[in-house]
Amino acid sequence: EGLRRAAGAALRALAGKTRVAVALPAASAEELEAVALGALLGNYGFTAYRTSERPGPVGEIVLVGSGDEAAVRRAETLASAVSLVRDLVNTPPSDLSPEDFAGVATKVASEGGLDIEVLDEKALVDGGYGGIVGVGQGSANPPRLVRLAYTHPEASKTLALVGKGITFDSGGLSLKPAEGMDWMKSDMGGAAAVLGALAAIAELKPAVNVVGYLALAENMPSGTAQRPSDVLTVYGGKTVEVLNTDAEGRLVMADPIVRSGEDGPDLLIDVATLTGAQLVALGTRTTGVMANDDEVREKVVAAAVRSGEPSWGMPLPEELRKGLDSAVADIANISGERWGGMLVAGVFLKEFVPDGVRWAHLDIAGPSYNKGEPYGYTPKAGTGAAVRTLVAVAEDMAAGEL
């Protein structure tokens, strides 16, 4: 990670140069990959909307020394996937509706040889995806559910990934304050991470089957928006009382979490910019990891840290479930208690995990978007958080280690 950050900081400082040679020490394939990946990630720039002259990314990066070409290719694959996620997170919501996002996923699937299924608003209603439909019904831009699938002929295990894709989150009728809304274009960071991970996995080809779900909706207030006290019926039949429309991420995630059971996964991981409480508990750079299995939680954390993505295991206390009791439905979408909001959201999602499936939940609310100054290989704004973690988990499963 030290090599990754050093290379990234160097390339950021040299923006505008035509050609840069990187001569950091790299005595192994792992270190060579770290240097290459750090340099590529640090050289990222989002210039699609700029009209003024500013120093752009370095034109060409040369790694000095001998090493493993496969390590460099792997770095290029990971950097490309992370850059895709950063681009999506940085794109203004006016240009990234749920339909637009589904279009990007279709292009990625075509290029990577992935199977894809896109459910539009009619198919979502007909299929009983009440969480996604409820959240998306207030917007002029209707919701989508995208299912991507990578298969390997030698795979014996299946990994299911579910990503939260709120392309803009106003809070709905439970409207956010203005200062909490200006970066809510990033609320689709989880779905973007799942898409980026699938793009990388399709190229790296680990021997594991991977299914990814992108739960895409725009959360807006209008005359058609869901109301606090509405009851939604999630895919599979469980009912949810909506007490706060700004706790919408868990609603759109519930549908694909339930449906993922039809894929027979050996492991299910969801990733979401889910709670402001994550920032309170762990700050802006550390992902909260919760699970229904202690060993899974610790192995996911280890894969994340190994990949250079700070993460910390968190509990799912059973006593928090009582706060989600509803007088009219099977469960409420927020707790009557104030504390432990990140954990409560995890407890809510756990209710929808298929029986017998090992599951982990990644809350990337802070790590997905850097509101501060750039550091290391991490730029301002979209960071591409969780992509490398998900790829590492897939590779660990292929190796029989998870």
Side-chain angles (χ1 to χ4, degrees), residues 115-131:
D115 294 330
I116 186 167
E117 175 189 10
V118 180
L119 300 182
D120 64 14
E121 64 271 33
K122 183 179 185 305
L124 290 169
V125 171
D126 293 344
Y129 297 87

Side-chain angles (χ1 to χ4, degrees), residues 373-393:
E373 292 303 310
Y375 59 92
Y377 53 77
T378 302
K380 190 176 180 66
T383 65
V387 171
R388 291 177 289 155
T389 298
L390 298 179
V391 172
V393 166

Side-chain angles (χ1 to χ4, degrees), residues 4 7-9 11-13 37-45 86 376-379:
R4 280 190 289 260
L11 265 294
R12 283 196 300 103
L37 181 56
L40 291 166
L41 293 179
N43 196 43
Y44 173 83
R86 290 174 174 179
Y377 53 77
T378 302

